[in-house]
Amino acid sequence: AQSVSQHNHHVILSEAASLELGCNYSYGGTVNLFWYVQYPGQHLQLLLKYFSGDPLVKGIKGFEAEFIKSKFSFNLRKPSVQWSDTAEYFCAVIPYNNNDMRFGAGTRLTVKP
Amino acid sequence: SAVISQKPSRDICQRGTSLTIQCQVDSQVTMMFWYRQQPGQSLTLIATANQGSEATYESGFVIDKFPISRPNLTFSTLTVSNMSPEDSSIYLCSVDRDNLNTEAFFGQGTRLTVV
């Protein structure tokens, strides 16, 4: 079945460590790709998105993601995390010729001060 | 960005009863989406609601259990019918503001607990 896969269920890092969260999708054709963040007790917020063009996209709060078409991947990165980055991170895809967004299972990030 | 208001923000309901969740958007949108986020899990799409037509349900969700209304381009409701504890979840309304699949905006969610 077509899906969005996030490899890490829970990641624990110390402040200033580098972050990379994996995301792979299995939809063929053109896709729109997103990373959302959900801070504790808050609603989903968009971190960044990719539709076309430069495969390295920069989002808010120092996050970036790289689209690698050959690997069907859209990994999220941040060079130096902060305690305030503690949250749940969701990768999402809108497949070609579709209108609804499909989510990965999410990765919980805990940053220790 | 789109401003989406959901009501109620939370509720505790008795099993066997029904709850209707309202979603109001600050601008007209073609499509509205309803998601469920069960404890510790990701978002699962329940259905897509277009104005003037019946909602389209995803596999595993049926209209009798989750009836949806879409009376106009800024409003939708989701009813969770004949509730059981397994329906305890966060229910989220979402819109694609420019109908171009460029971004989804979410309401703050309705946290439902069925006892």
Side-chain angles (χ1 to χ4, degrees), chain A residues 15 39 41 47 55 89 106:
Chain A
E15 275 195 314
Y39 297 102
L47 269 180
Y89 292 82

Side-chain angles (χ1 to χ4, degrees), chain A residues 1 15 26 38 40 56 69 80 94:
Chain A
E15 275 195 314
S26 62
Q38 188 172 30
L56 183 63
K69 188 174 182 178
S80 176
I94 297 180

Side-chain angles (χ1 to χ4, degrees), chain B residues 9-11 19 21 35-44 46 61 66 80 83-92 109-114:
Chain B
S9 59
R10 59 178 63 227
D11 207 342
L19 175 71
I21 302 167
Y35 287 86
R36 181 173 71 182
Q37 186 178 20
Q38 292 180 301
Q41 298 188 29
S42 184
L43 286 77
T44 302
I46 297 171
F61 298 96
F66 297 101
V80 186
M83 289 184 284
S84 66
E86 291 71 34
D87 295 320
S88 297
S89 185
I90 297 173
Y91 292 85
L92 292 145
T110 296
R111 184 180 293 273
L112 171 62
T113 302
V114 183

Side-chain angles (χ1 to χ4, degrees), chain B residues 36-111:
Chain B
R36 181 173 71 182
Q37 186 178 20
Q38 292 180 301
Q41 298 188 29
S42 184
L43 286 77
T44 302
L45 182 66
I46 297 171
T48 303
N50 289 345
Q51 194 267 335
S53 63
E54 281 200 3
T56 303
Y57 289 84
E58 296 298 304
S59 175
F61 298 96
V62 295
I63 188 171
D64 289 346
K65 176 68 176 176
F66 297 101
I68 288 172
S69 79
R70 184 79 203 274
N72 57 53
L73 292 173
T74 64
F75 187 79
S76 178
T77 67
L78 170 76
T79 298
V80 186
S81 303
N82 189 25
M83 289 184 284
S84 66
E86 291 71 34
D87 295 320
S88 297
S89 185
I90 297 173
Y91 292 85
L92 292 145
C93 171
S94 170
V95 304
D96 175 10
R97 169 116 182 211
D98 58 10
N99 302 317
L100 293 175
N101 297 335
T102 56
E103 184 173 345
F105 296 92
F106 290 85
Q108 79 277 19
T110 296
R111 184 180 293 273

